[in-house]
Amino acid sequence: MYGLSKRQIERLQNVQKFAVRVISGIDYQQRITLALKSLHWLPVEVRINFKILPLVYKSCCGQTPSIYVIVSLHTTSGSPLVRRPAWLFRL
């Protein structure tokens, strides 16, 4: 899910909000922040980062699971300081 556009993340966030409202019975006009916390759910964008960061850390330490291989680092913008890993999934 890394590399999704902001629009796609917003759509997934709306699905998550709907699921929280169905599960906890919260009215549409009420805020869902407390319900998210009570369910121990992270917002979609935060969860994506939460899942990727341990993999990046393990790959830097040489503890990468055998299913993941870092292919290369490529620039996402014109700046050489902004980089992201490109992942190859082996089955």
Side-chain angles (χ1 to χ4, degrees):
M1 293 175 69
Y2 182 75
L4 292 178
S5 68
K6 283 287 190 187
R7 177 69 182 135
Q8 290 171 324
I9 291 176
E10 287 174 6
R11 292 176 79 184
L12 287 173
Q13 186 66 46
N14 288 337
V15 170
Q16 184 186 39
K17 287 179 183 179
F18 180 76
V20 169
R21 291 183 196 286
V22 168
I23 291 170
S24 60
I26 293 178
D27 186 23
Y28 185 72
Q29 296 175 343
Q30 295 176 335
R31 295 193 179 267
I32 64 163
T33 307
L34 293 177
L36 278 171
K37 287 182 181 179
S38 69
L39 291 171
H40 302 284
W41 287 8
L42 294 172
V44 173
E45 191 168 7
V46 174
R47 181 162 172 83
I48 291 170
N49 290 333
F50 179 78
K51 289 297 208 172
I52 289 176
L53 287 176
L55 292 173
V56 172
Y57 174 77
K58 286 181 181 181
S59 69
C60 290
C61 295
Q63 302 171 350
T64 308
S66 61
I67 194 168
Y68 301 111
V69 175
I70 295 182
V71 176
S72 65
L73 291 176
H74 63 277
T75 306
T76 58
S77 69
S79 170
L81 298 177
V82 180
R83 297 182 183 271
R84 69 177 185 177
W87 295 91
L88 171 68
F89 295 97
R90 290 186 296 167
L91 299 177

